[in-house]
Amino acid sequence: MDRTKQIILHFSLFVCLIIFGASGYMMIEKWSFMDALYMTVITFATVGYGEVHEISPEGRLFTVILIFLGVGFFLYVVGIVIQFLVEGRIRHVLGRRILDKQISKLKNHFIICGYGRMGRALCRYLIQKHLDFIVIEQNPKRVPVINEDGVLYIVGAATDEANLIKAGIEGAKGIISVLGADADNVFLVLIAKGLNPDIFVVARANQDETEKTLYAAGTDKVVSPFALGARRVAHAILRPTVIHFLELAFSDENTDIHVEEIPVSVSSRLVNVSLEESKLRHDFNLIVISIGKGDGTMCFNPKASHRFEAGDTLIAVGNNKGLMQAAKILNPTP
């Protein structure tokens, strides 16, 4: 039962007791309604005032019953309040311990710093992709929303080393900083790279001038929401069909067309195998758009004779099933 229903129930019960007491005095002692109501209230309150009128033995017995009912009702309400406080505290402690236990098990996960509009949208996408991540959010008012979304979280400043260590930054795959202030994003990148120099860092830049500073601090990828939004609007006007295709490719709900990148590991049996010999298109119905090399160069529209090398990253278009099957071959799990 929720809190509102409990309050209504207790208030209704109290009103019923008052009506019961006043009606009893009116029937037994033949008092007026005001005298009966007054006697009932001072009896429940146990304030020790004198009786309104001379009271009969039957009335005294009825008063004793009212005293027991009033005291019992008071103890019941106090018990409910104590139970609510204790259970709420226990639920909070146990819930926090469960969260901490789940956080301690995270490996090769992502750390999302900030749970504003951008951070929440990002987390929804990661949930769709079934990726492990944890959120660090400083504003406690956002905790109910985070709990509602079922996300692992730490309440505190993302720029605090203790919170980053608690979030498992040493074993994390990447960290994404979407804090509101550019200065906080820069400071966070410096701390993150200091704790884990190999971690992949993506940071948000609200001002164009901040982009160079973020790269200088060690950010691997800087994202400017305003610049991206402006390009998106421009492309929607200039290349509507292309944008429609990309929306289909990056949508996880309405279509089974996806664009994915798949790394080629050393243990893959396709290392030193040509694109034609791999039969990726024939077996998995994939279209290979590009192959990213280890030195950062891109080989667009690779030829059929192009051979895979360890460290390459395949960029392909296909359905989810075909992409997953190809990933098992290109990047097999030990």
Side-chain angles (χ1 to χ4, degrees), residues 275 278 280-281 285-291 299-302 308 313-317:
L275 181 59
S278 70
L280 291 177
R281 180 180 179 88
N285 195 27
L286 300 183
I287 300 175
V288 179
I289 301 176
S290 177
I291 297 178
C299 178
F300 294 98
N301 191 22
F308 293 109
T313 301
L314 183 76
I315 301 175
V317 179

Side-chain angles (χ1 to χ4, degrees), residues 118 221-235:
M118 188 172 181
K221 183 65 177 177
V222 177
V223 177
S224 175
F226 301 105
L228 287 176
R231 289 196 204 104
R232 171 66 179 80
V233 173
H235 289 319

Side-chain angles (χ1 to χ4, degrees), residues 21-98:
S23 301
Y25 282 121
M26 292 174 66
M27 293 176 61
I28 297 172
E29 301 296 337
K30 309 301 180 182
W31 291 348
S32 66
F33 173 75
M34 288 304 300
D35 288 344
L37 178 62
Y38 178 75
M39 186 65 183
T40 301
V41 172
I42 64 174
T43 301
F44 278 148
T46 64
V47 294
Y49 291 162
E51 297 172 352
V52 180
H53 301 289
E54 192 69 29
I55 191 168
S56 65
E58 293 81 4
R60 293 182 184 276
L61 178 60
F62 182 72
T63 301
V64 171
I65 295 174
L66 280 185
I67 291 174
F68 277 111
L69 289 176
V71 173
F73 177 75
F74 174 77
L75 294 176
Y76 169 73
V77 172
V78 171
I80 290 295
V81 173
I82 294 175
Q83 180 184 9
F84 173 77
L85 295 176
V86 172
E87 285 184 352
R89 181 59 183 171
I90 292 175
R91 192 181 301 112
H92 173 75
V93 172
L94 291 179
R96 188 67 254 179
R97 287 183 178 177
I98 293 173

